Amino acid sequence: MAMNSKPKLEELLASYEGKKLLLLGKEGLFERKEIERFLKPYKLTLTDTPDSETVATIEPAGLNPVEEMISEQAYEMGIPSYDLQELEELISATIDDDALLMAIKLGNDQSRIKRMLANPHLSDSLFVRLLKLYEFDEEEEDSRDDRDVIMYTLRRYIAIKPNEEDLLYSYLTLRRLATEATDPNLLEALLGFPNFEFLVRGKERTTLRQTIASNPNITEDIVRKLLSYRHKGVDIALAGNSATDASTLNLLYQKDDPKIAKALAINPAIDNTLFEKLLEEPESAALVLMRQPIDSDRLSKIQKKVNDPEIFALLGANEQLATEVIGKLIQSDNTALLEYLSANPVVPREMLEQIYQKEIPSTLTSLAKNPNVDPKLLERFYEEYGEDKAMRIALAYNPATPIKILEALFNEEDLEINRALATNRALPMELLDILKLDTRLQNELAQNENLVRSYEEVLNQGKVMLNV
């Protein structure tokens, strides 16, 4: 058999009925008896030594010295060599999912489950079904088998670069998977994992179950399982998840827990009945006013329930106000409310003009910073209030501020003003390039949309960036 005309393994198997395959090295994903079962329809058998009936050798990546000698002997006999992975891929393609799962369930063969989970050639659906059958060791905290199964799971679903292999050994990567997963079946399988605790810098400790409870792809079945744990952190996460059904949200409210109430208050999926109940407590009411979509009907409920003018004023900071609601609010004489509205980027230009016409001094700097304000009005602010440092800083932040004013502010060479200019996406690139030389402005420059976009374009072109 000519070495330069080696057929594909699948073609070879179909062409040499009654012949032999030389299997060297350790078995991988499949045991020898499983490989023999696969070869049976081809009427091929396995052998340990090459002879005239041997049509191919199957070799893993590493061989011991004796196996190397046998491999060399087969090579000299002109027998073609195939990688074990190629055979494993062929066997994997013939797996009957239901039959495999039935056999595993009947024997509760955990070692076979682990071997199958290591198989990258299985479909995601079969992988998840197998993962649900794997039993984590409840007694041994750092089980090697458990760590391997976690690593197989992460490698399958998380894109890992060659230089990032250490991520496979970090449980924080498991948290990332539970956060990003879109397959509800995978999320359900992850519930079978130990409830690992994660410590994220700058945040409270959280658990795997809490992370799953926050995932927007959870189903009613998953919600029921999560509720069965009777864990406060899980309940809070469910209360804040827009995928949690309305009946569950109302059930969670009945637990009468302030932290659950706060989570419900920022959940856009709450119904109007729950919306109204949450207005009864000051802390949850404040969050409702700032975070919930507000239409005229909800505004009426707020006006009936919220009597504290300071809490009511928070409504002005809400970026989900219906236009007709904004129109009603700007008629108010609540100064704090108008101050919040003057800074709100969803308030239309003509309504911001109406706030300006009220001549309330405390709204001016907020208006000067609002990108919806008419540039002509911004010019008037600069001309009439330009001596006020707070006003100049506000104008320096605003991308709607005319370029000539931004240039004038840049020429002041004032650090506080430059911090504001560094975030401004409308600042000309040649001025940004000068600001990039000031290391004190790195945090502000990192917030500049225009600058970040230019960096991304350079990266996409494979160029080297300087002064980043």
Side-chain angles (χ1 to χ4, degrees), residues 366-393:
S366 295
L367 287 169
K369 199 174 179 179
N370 195 316
N372 281 353
V373 168
D374 188 334
K376 292 182 179 178
L377 182 55
L378 296 177
E379 287 183 1
R380 190 184 310 170
F381 285 156
Y382 184 69
E383 292 169 1
E384 297 182 8
Y385 308 103
E387 294 182 1
D388 183 349
K389 178 75 169 288
M391 174 61 72
R392 299 204 305 281
I393 291 173

Side-chain angles (χ1 to χ4, degrees), residues 308-314 334 336 340:
D308 186 332
E310 289 187 13
I311 294 179
F312 188 88
L314 297 173
N334 184 328
Y340 283 122

Side-chain angles (χ1 to χ4, degrees), residues 68 199 271 343:
E68 287 282 4
L199 178 59
D271 57 24

Side-chain angles (χ1 to χ4, degrees), residues 22 28 46 82 97 146 179 197 251 274 361 405 407 433 452:
L22 172 62
L46 293 179
Y82 293 86
D97 294 7
D146 289 356
T179 302
E197 188 175 80
L251 180 68
L274 192 49
I405 295 177
E407 291 173 342
D433 285 338
V452 170

Side-chain angles (χ1 to χ4, degrees), residues 286-334:
L287 287 171
V288 165
L289 266 58
M290 289 190 291
R291 301 289 292 274
Q292 288 292 324
I294 307 295
D295 56 17
S296 292
D297 181 44
R298 285 188 165 186
L299 177 61
S300 298
K301 289 178 168 55
I302 293 169
Q303 290 170 326
K304 291 175 184 176
K305 291 274 188 179
V306 180
N307 299 315
D308 186 332
E310 289 187 13
I311 294 179
F312 188 88
L314 297 173
L315 196 55
N318 190 320
E319 295 187 14
Q320 298 188 76
L321 300 174
T323 304
E324 66 269 18
V325 170
I326 298 173
K328 293 175 182 177
L329 293 178
I330 61 173
Q331 305 306 319
S332 170
D333 58 0
N334 184 328

Side-chain angles (χ1 to χ4, degrees), residues 250-300:
N250 279 279
L251 180 68
L252 290 168
Y253 174 76
Q254 292 170 22
K255 290 180 179 284
D256 194 26
D257 185 288
K259 289 188 176 181
I260 291 178
K262 287 181 181 180
L264 290 168
I266 63 175
N267 188 336
I270 63 170
D271 57 24
N272 281 345
T273 301
L274 192 49
F275 176 93
E276 196 165 5
K277 290 177 181 177
L278 289 166
L279 293 174
E280 295 171 3
E281 293 295 329
E283 288 189 2
S284 59
L287 287 171
V288 165
L289 266 58
M290 289 190 291
R291 301 289 292 274
Q292 288 292 324
I294 307 295
D295 56 17
S296 292
D297 181 44
R298 285 188 165 186
L299 177 61
S300 298

